[in-house]
PDB file of all heavy atoms in Angstrom:
ATOM      1  N   LEU A1166      10.460  -8.450   7.843  1.00 97.00           N
ATOM      2  CA  LEU A1166       9.212  -7.958   7.249  1.00 97.00           C
ATOM      3  C   LEU A1166       9.090  -6.442   7.393  1.00 97.00           C
ATOM      4  O   LEU A1166       8.643  -5.756   6.466  1.00 97.00           O
ATOM      5  CB  LEU A1166       8.010  -8.649   7.885  1.00 97.00           C
ATOM      6  CG  LEU A1166       7.825 -10.113   7.516  1.00 97.00           C
ATOM      7  CD1 LEU A1166       6.668 -10.705   8.320  1.00 97.00           C
ATOM      8  CD2 LEU A1166       7.577 -10.274   6.032  1.00 97.00           C
ATOM      9  N   ALA A1167       9.493  -5.928   8.541  1.00 97.00           N
ATOM     10  CA  ALA A1167       9.454  -4.481   8.737  1.00 97.00           C
ATOM     11  C   ALA A1167      10.414  -3.775   7.779  1.00 97.00           C
ATOM     12  O   ALA A1167      10.093  -2.709   7.234  1.00 97.00           O
ATOM     13  CB  ALA A1167       9.793  -4.139  10.179  1.00 97.00           C
ATOM     14  N   ALA A1168      11.580  -4.368   7.538  1.00 97.00           N
ATOM     15  CA  ALA A1168      12.541  -3.776   6.609  1.00 97.00           C
ATOM     16  C   ALA A1168      11.998  -3.791   5.183  1.00 97.00           C
ATOM     17  O   ALA A1168      12.146  -2.818   4.440  1.00 97.00           O
ATOM     18  CB  ALA A1168      13.871  -4.515   6.687  1.00 97.00           C
ATOM     19  N   VAL A1169      11.345  -4.883   4.801  1.00 97.00           N
ATOM     20  CA  VAL A1169      10.757  -4.971   3.457  1.00 97.00           C
ATOM     21  C   VAL A1169       9.649  -3.931   3.298  1.00 97.00           C
ATOM     22  O   VAL A1169       9.544  -3.272   2.257  1.00 97.00           O
ATOM     23  CB  VAL A1169      10.232  -6.399   3.186  1.00 97.00           C
ATOM     24  CG1 VAL A1169       9.350  -6.437   1.958  1.00 97.00           C
ATOM     25  CG2 VAL A1169      11.394  -7.357   3.032  1.00 97.00           C
ATOM     26  N   LEU A1170       8.824  -3.762   4.318  1.00 97.00           N
ATOM     27  CA  LEU A1170       7.771  -2.743   4.257  1.00 97.00           C
ATOM     28  C   LEU A1170       8.364  -1.343   4.156  1.00 97.00           C
ATOM     29  O   LEU A1170       7.828  -0.489   3.439  1.00 97.00           O
ATOM     30  CB  LEU A1170       6.863  -2.856   5.475  1.00 97.00           C
ATOM     31  CG  LEU A1170       5.941  -4.060   5.502  1.00 97.00           C
ATOM     32  CD1 LEU A1170       5.189  -4.123   6.826  1.00 97.00           C
ATOM     33  CD2 LEU A1170       4.972  -4.012   4.336  1.00 97.00           C
ATOM     34  N   SER A1171       9.453  -1.117   4.852  1.00 97.00           N
ATOM     35  CA  SER A1171      10.106   0.184   4.784  1.00 97.00           C
ATOM     36  C   SER A1171      10.690   0.426   3.387  1.00 97.00           C
ATOM     37  O   SER A1171      10.592   1.539   2.849  1.00 97.00           O
ATOM     38  CB  SER A1171      11.207   0.273   5.835  1.00 97.00           C
ATOM     39  OG  SER A1171      11.828   1.515   5.791  1.00 97.00           O
ATOM     40  N   MET A1172      11.277  -0.604   2.791  1.00 97.00           N
ATOM     41  CA  MET A1172      11.788  -0.463   1.425  1.00 97.00           C
ATOM     42  C   MET A1172      10.652  -0.207   0.442  1.00 97.00           C
ATOM     43  O   MET A1172      10.804   0.587  -0.494  1.00 97.00           O
ATOM     44  CB  MET A1172      12.555  -1.721   1.024  1.00 97.00           C
ATOM     45  CG  MET A1172      13.868  -1.885   1.716  1.00 97.00           C
ATOM     46  SD  MET A1172      14.651  -3.412   1.164  1.00 97.00           S
ATOM     47  CE  MET A1172      15.554  -3.861   2.618  1.00 97.00           C
ATOM     48  N   SER A1173       9.534  -0.855   0.670  1.00 97.00           N
ATOM     49  CA  SER A1173       8.367  -0.625  -0.184  1.00 97.00           C
ATOM     50  C   SER A1173       7.858   0.805  -0.022  1.00 97.00           C
ATOM     51  O   SER A1173       7.420   1.424  -0.991  1.00 97.00           O
ATOM     52  CB  SER A1173       7.253  -1.608   0.160  1.00 97.00           C
ATOM     53  OG  SER A1173       7.674  -2.921  -0.083  1.00 97.00           O
ATOM     54  N   ALA A1174       7.912   1.300   1.199  1.00 97.00           N
ATOM     55  CA  ALA A1174       7.476   2.673   1.446  1.00 97.00           C
ATOM     56  C   ALA A1174       8.366   3.679   0.720  1.00 97.00           C
ATOM     57  O   ALA A1174       7.886   4.746   0.305  1.00 97.00           O
ATOM     58  CB  ALA A1174       7.466   2.953   2.942  1.00 97.00           C
ATOM     59  N   ILE A1175       9.631   3.343   0.548  1.00 97.00           N
ATOM     60  CA  ILE A1175      10.511   4.222  -0.231  1.00 97.00           C
ATOM     61  C   ILE A1175       9.999   4.311  -1.660  1.00 97.00           C
ATOM     62  O   ILE A1175       9.904   5.404  -2.240  1.00 97.00           O
ATOM     63  CB  ILE A1175      11.969   3.718  -0.194  1.00 97.00           C
ATOM     64  CG1 ILE A1175      12.537   3.831   1.214  1.00 97.00           C
ATOM     65  CG2 ILE A1175      12.839   4.502  -1.176  1.00 97.00           C
ATOM     66  CD1 ILE A1175      13.881   3.151   1.407  1.00 97.00           C
ATOM     67  N   GLY A1176       9.645   3.173  -2.233  1.00 97.00           N
ATOM     68  CA  GLY A1176       9.105   3.165  -3.593  1.00 97.00           C
ATOM     69  C   GLY A1176       7.789   3.914  -3.697  1.00 97.00           C
ATOM     70  O   GLY A1176       7.546   4.639  -4.664  1.00 97.00           O
ATOM     71  N   VAL A1177       6.937   3.758  -2.702  1.00 97.00           N
ATOM     72  CA  VAL A1177       5.657   4.478  -2.694  1.00 97.00           C
ATOM     73  C   VAL A1177       5.905   5.971  -2.593  1.00 97.00           C
ATOM     74  O   VAL A1177       5.260   6.768  -3.285  1.00 97.00           O
ATOM     75  CB  VAL A1177       4.764   3.977  -1.540  1.00 97.00           C
ATOM     76  CG1 VAL A1177       3.555   4.879  -1.351  1.00 97.00           C
ATOM     77  CG2 VAL A1177       4.335   2.543  -1.784  1.00 97.00           C
ATOM     78  N   GLY A1178       6.841   6.358  -1.744  1.00 97.00           N
ATOM     79  CA  GLY A1178       7.170   7.777  -1.600  1.00 97.00           C
ATOM     80  C   GLY A1178       7.709   8.376  -2.888  1.00 97.00           C
ATOM     81  O   GLY A1178       7.385   9.510  -3.246  1.00 97.00           O
ATOM     82  N   ILE A1179       8.513   7.601  -3.611  1.00 97.00           N
ATOM     83  CA  ILE A1179       9.019   8.084  -4.909  1.00 97.00           C
ATOM     84  C   ILE A1179       7.874   8.216  -5.887  1.00 97.00           C
ATOM     85  O   ILE A1179       7.795   9.194  -6.636  1.00 97.00           O
ATOM     86  CB  ILE A1179      10.119   7.132  -5.435  1.00 97.00           C
ATOM     87  CG1 ILE A1179      11.371   7.246  -4.569  1.00 97.00           C
ATOM     88  CG2 ILE A1179      10.438   7.436  -6.891  1.00 97.00           C
ATOM     89  CD1 ILE A1179      12.433   6.208  -4.871  1.00 97.00           C
ATOM     90  N   GLY A1180       6.965   7.248  -5.864  1.00 97.00           N
ATOM     91  CA  GLY A1180       5.811   7.307  -6.761  1.00 97.00           C
ATOM     92  C   GLY A1180       4.906   8.488  -6.450  1.00 97.00           C
ATOM     93  O   GLY A1180       4.309   9.087  -7.354  1.00 97.00           O
ATOM     94  N   MET A1181       4.787   8.822  -5.173  1.00 96.00           N
ATOM     95  CA  MET A1181       3.964   9.958  -4.764  1.00 96.00           C
ATOM     96  C   MET A1181       4.698  11.286  -4.938  1.00 96.00           C
ATOM     97  O   MET A1181       4.104  12.345  -4.769  1.00 96.00           O
ATOM     98  CB  MET A1181       3.568   9.818  -3.285  1.00 96.00           C
ATOM     99  CG  MET A1181       2.600   8.720  -3.012  1.00 96.00           C
ATOM    100  SD  MET A1181       2.307   8.399  -1.254  1.00 96.00           S
ATOM    101  CE  MET A1181       2.327  10.000  -0.506  1.00 96.00           C
ATOM    102  N   ARG A1182       5.988  11.209  -5.215  1.00 95.00           N
ATOM    103  CA  ARG A1182       6.858  12.379  -5.316  1.00 95.00           C
ATOM    104  C   ARG A1182       6.864  13.175  -4.012  1.00 95.00           C
ATOM    105  O   ARG A1182       6.806  14.406  -3.999  1.00 95.00           O
ATOM    106  CB  ARG A1182       6.451  13.274  -6.482  1.00 95.00           C
ATOM    107  CG  ARG A1182       6.634  12.595  -7.811  1.00 95.00           C
ATOM    108  CD  ARG A1182       6.307  13.494  -8.952  1.00 95.00           C
ATOM    109  NE  ARG A1182       6.407  12.732 -10.200  1.00 95.00           N
ATOM    110  CZ  ARG A1182       6.558  13.303 -11.363  1.00 95.00           C
ATOM    111  NH1 ARG A1182       6.622  14.608 -11.461  1.00 95.00           N
ATOM    112  NH2 ARG A1182       6.649  12.562 -12.437  1.00 95.00           N
ATOM    113  N   SER A1183       6.933  12.431  -2.917  1.00 95.00           N
ATOM    114  CA  SER A1183       6.939  13.024  -1.586  1.00 95.00           C
ATOM    115  C   SER A1183       8.280  12.763  -0.929  1.00 95.00           C
ATOM    116  O   SER A1183       8.577  11.635  -0.518  1.00 95.00           O
ATOM    117  CB  SER A1183       5.804  12.438  -0.741  1.00 95.00           C
ATOM    118  OG  SER A1183       5.916  12.871   0.590  1.00 95.00           O
ATOM    119  N   ILE A1184       9.079  13.799  -0.824  1.00 96.00           N
ATOM    120  CA  ILE A1184      10.402  13.655  -0.224  1.00 96.00           C
ATOM    121  C   ILE A1184      10.275  13.317   1.261  1.00 96.00           C
ATOM    122  O   ILE A1184      11.110  12.604   1.818  1.00 96.00           O
ATOM    123  CB  ILE A1184      11.267  14.917  -0.457  1.00 96.00           C
ATOM    124  CG1 ILE A1184      12.731  14.665  -0.070  1.00 96.00           C
ATOM    125  CG2 ILE A1184      10.719  16.092   0.287  1.00 96.00           C
ATOM    126  CD1 ILE A1184      13.451  13.750  -0.994  1.00 96.00           C
ATOM    127  N   PHE A1185       9.212  13.809   1.906  1.00 96.00           N
ATOM    128  CA  PHE A1185       8.994  13.527   3.324  1.00 96.00           C
ATOM    129  C   PHE A1185       8.798  12.030   3.569  1.00 96.00           C
ATOM    130  O   PHE A1185       9.384  11.456   4.492  1.00 96.00           O
ATOM    131  CB  PHE A1185       7.785  14.307   3.841  1.00 96.00           C
ATOM    132  CG  PHE A1185       7.472  14.028   5.278  1.00 96.00           C
ATOM    133  CD1 PHE A1185       8.291  14.505   6.283  1.00 96.00           C
ATOM    134  CD2 PHE A1185       6.362  13.270   5.619  1.00 96.00           C
ATOM    135  CE1 PHE A1185       8.014  14.234   7.618  1.00 96.00           C
ATOM    136  CE2 PHE A1185       6.080  12.993   6.942  1.00 96.00           C
ATOM    137  CZ  PHE A1185       6.904  13.483   7.940  1.00 96.00           C
ATOM    138  N   VAL A1186       7.998  11.375   2.749  1.00 96.00           N
ATOM    139  CA  VAL A1186       7.752   9.940   2.902  1.00 96.00           C
ATOM    140  C   VAL A1186       9.032   9.158   2.638  1.00 96.00           C
ATOM    141  O   VAL A1186       9.338   8.196   3.352  1.00 96.00           O
ATOM    142  CB  VAL A1186       6.608   9.477   1.971  1.00 96.00           C
ATOM    143  CG1 VAL A1186       6.458   7.962   2.002  1.00 96.00           C
ATOM    144  CG2 VAL A1186       5.305  10.152   2.343  1.00 96.00           C
ATOM    145  N   VAL A1187       9.786   9.563   1.635  1.00 97.00           N
ATOM    146  CA  VAL A1187      11.041   8.870   1.307  1.00 97.00           C
ATOM    147  C   VAL A1187      12.027   8.983   2.465  1.00 97.00           C
ATOM    148  O   VAL A1187      12.617   7.987   2.891  1.00 97.00           O
ATOM    149  CB  VAL A1187      11.647   9.429   0.003  1.00 97.00           C
ATOM    150  CG1 VAL A1187      13.032   8.853  -0.235  1.00 97.00           C
ATOM    151  CG2 VAL A1187      10.740   9.136  -1.173  1.00 97.00           C
ATOM    152  N   ILE A1188      12.190  10.180   3.001  1.00 97.00           N
ATOM    153  CA  ILE A1188      13.130  10.380   4.113  1.00 97.00           C
ATOM    154  C   ILE A1188      12.676   9.605   5.343  1.00 97.00           C
ATOM    155  O   ILE A1188      13.485   8.959   6.014  1.00 97.00           O
ATOM    156  CB  ILE A1188      13.292  11.886   4.422  1.00 97.00           C
ATOM    157  CG1 ILE A1188      14.036  12.564   3.269  1.00 97.00           C
ATOM    158  CG2 ILE A1188      14.023  12.104   5.733  1.00 97.00           C
ATOM    159  CD1 ILE A1188      14.102  14.062   3.362  1.00 97.00           C
ATOM    160  N   LEU A1189      11.382   9.645   5.628  1.00 97.00           N
ATOM    161  CA  LEU A1189      10.848   8.913   6.770  1.00 97.00           C
ATOM    162  C   LEU A1189      11.069   7.405   6.617  1.00 97.00           C
ATOM    163  O   LEU A1189      11.470   6.724   7.575  1.00 97.00           O
ATOM    164  CB  LEU A1189       9.359   9.215   6.922  1.00 97.00           C
ATOM    165  CG  LEU A1189       8.684   8.747   8.193  1.00 97.00           C
ATOM    166  CD1 LEU A1189       9.262   9.499   9.387  1.00 97.00           C
ATOM    167  CD2 LEU A1189       7.197   8.997   8.099  1.00 97.00           C
ATOM    168  N   ALA A1190      10.867   6.883   5.417  1.00 97.00           N
ATOM    169  CA  ALA A1190      11.060   5.454   5.169  1.00 97.00           C
ATOM    170  C   ALA A1190      12.534   5.064   5.255  1.00 97.00           C
ATOM    171  O   ALA A1190      12.861   3.985   5.757  1.00 97.00           O
ATOM    172  CB  ALA A1190      10.478   5.073   3.812  1.00 97.00           C
ATOM    173  N   VAL A1191      13.422   5.912   4.780  1.00 98.00           N
ATOM    174  CA  VAL A1191      14.860   5.625   4.855  1.00 98.00           C
ATOM    175  C   VAL A1191      15.315   5.611   6.314  1.00 98.00           C
ATOM    176  O   VAL A1191      16.067   4.721   6.732  1.00 98.00           O
ATOM    177  CB  VAL A1191      15.672   6.639   4.021  1.00 98.00           C
ATOM    178  CG1 VAL A1191      17.156   6.543   4.327  1.00 98.00           C
ATOM    179  CG2 VAL A1191      15.424   6.426   2.540  1.00 98.00           C
ATOM    180  N   VAL A1192      14.843   6.563   7.095  1.00 98.00           N
ATOM    181  CA  VAL A1192      15.196   6.601   8.520  1.00 98.00           C
ATOM    182  C   VAL A1192      14.657   5.357   9.216  1.00 98.00           C
ATOM    183  O   VAL A1192      15.354   4.723  10.023  1.00 98.00           O
ATOM    184  CB  VAL A1192      14.672   7.894   9.179  1.00 98.00           C
ATOM    185  CG1 VAL A1192      14.787   7.827  10.689  1.00 98.00           C
ATOM    186  CG2 VAL A1192      15.415   9.100   8.637  1.00 98.00           C
ATOM    187  N   ALA A1193      13.425   4.979   8.900  1.00 97.00           N
ATOM    188  CA  ALA A1193      12.838   3.775   9.494  1.00 97.00           C
ATOM    189  C   ALA A1193      13.647   2.531   9.110  1.00 97.00           C
ATOM    190  O   ALA A1193      13.900   1.663   9.950  1.00 97.00           O
ATOM    191  CB  ALA A1193      11.386   3.625   9.055  1.00 97.00           C
ATOM    192  N   LEU A1194      14.076   2.456   7.862  1.00 97.00           N
ATOM    193  CA  LEU A1194      14.874   1.315   7.399  1.00 97.00           C
ATOM    194  C   LEU A1194      16.198   1.231   8.154  1.00 97.00           C
ATOM    195  O   LEU A1194      16.607   0.152   8.590  1.00 97.00           O
ATOM    196  CB  LEU A1194      15.124   1.415   5.894  1.00 97.00           C
ATOM    197  CG  LEU A1194      15.953   0.294   5.274  1.00 97.00           C
ATOM    198  CD1 LEU A1194      15.244  -1.041   5.428  1.00 97.00           C
ATOM    199  CD2 LEU A1194      16.222   0.588   3.812  1.00 97.00           C
ATOM    200  N   ILE A1195      16.847   2.353   8.327  1.00 97.00           N
ATOM    201  CA  ILE A1195      18.124   2.371   9.049  1.00 97.00           C
ATOM    202  C   ILE A1195      17.931   1.922  10.493  1.00 97.00           C
ATOM    203  O   ILE A1195      18.715   1.120  11.018  1.00 97.00           O
ATOM    204  CB  ILE A1195      18.769   3.774   8.977  1.00 97.00           C
ATOM    205  CG1 ILE A1195      19.222   4.059   7.550  1.00 97.00           C
ATOM    206  CG2 ILE A1195      19.921   3.910   9.962  1.00 97.00           C
ATOM    207  CD1 ILE A1195      19.629   5.496   7.290  1.00 97.00           C
ATOM    208  N   LEU A1196      16.871   2.411  11.140  1.00 97.00           N
ATOM    209  CA  LEU A1196      16.614   2.024  12.525  1.00 97.00           C
ATOM    210  C   LEU A1196      16.270   0.542  12.649  1.00 97.00           C
ATOM    211  O   LEU A1196      16.750  -0.152  13.553  1.00 97.00           O
ATOM    212  CB  LEU A1196      15.481   2.877  13.101  1.00 97.00           C
ATOM    213  CG  LEU A1196      15.798   4.352  13.314  1.00 97.00           C
ATOM    214  CD1 LEU A1196      14.553   5.105  13.761  1.00 97.00           C
ATOM    215  CD2 LEU A1196      16.926   4.512  14.316  1.00 97.00           C
ATOM    216  N   ILE A1197      15.449   0.050  11.749  1.00 97.00           N
ATOM    217  CA  ILE A1197      15.048  -1.363  11.795  1.00 97.00           C
ATOM    218  C   ILE A1197      16.238  -2.274  11.553  1.00 97.00           C
ATOM    219  O   ILE A1197      16.457  -3.250  12.278  1.00 97.00           O
ATOM    220  CB  ILE A1197      13.925  -1.629  10.774  1.00 97.00           C
ATOM    221  CG1 ILE A1197      12.646  -0.923  11.193  1.00 97.00           C
ATOM    222  CG2 ILE A1197      13.687  -3.123  10.600  1.00 97.00           C
ATOM    223  CD1 ILE A1197      11.596  -0.842  10.101  1.00 97.00           C
ATOM    224  N   MET A1198      17.020  -1.969  10.521  1.00 97.00           N
ATOM    225  CA  MET A1198      18.183  -2.810  10.215  1.00 97.00           C
ATOM    226  C   MET A1198      19.209  -2.748  11.353  1.00 97.00           C
ATOM    227  O   MET A1198      19.788  -3.765  11.721  1.00 97.00           O
ATOM    228  CB  MET A1198      18.829  -2.360   8.905  1.00 97.00           C
ATOM    229  CG  MET A1198      17.956  -2.566   7.687  1.00 97.00           C
ATOM    230  SD  MET A1198      17.824  -4.267   7.191  1.00 97.00           S
ATOM    231  CE  MET A1198      19.421  -4.529   6.485  1.00 97.00           C
TER     232      MET A1198
END
């Protein structure tokens, strides 16, 4: 569930056009997985 939320956050970050959110979500995904 945490990995799915992190993947969703990547999509939200892309939608917001925020590179910071995308990078943070990718790092979180790598750590969780």
Side-chain angles (χ1 to χ4, degrees):
L1166 289 175
V1169 167
L1170 288 175
S1171 181
M1172 289 179 211
S1173 298
I1175 293 170
V1177 169
I1179 291 171
M1181 290 172 37
R1182 295 183 184 200
S1183 172
I1184 191 70
F1185 178 72
V1186 173
V1187 172
I1188 291 172
L1189 191 65
V1191 168
V1192 169
L1194 180 62
I1195 291 169
L1196 291 175
I1197 292 166
M1198 294 286 286

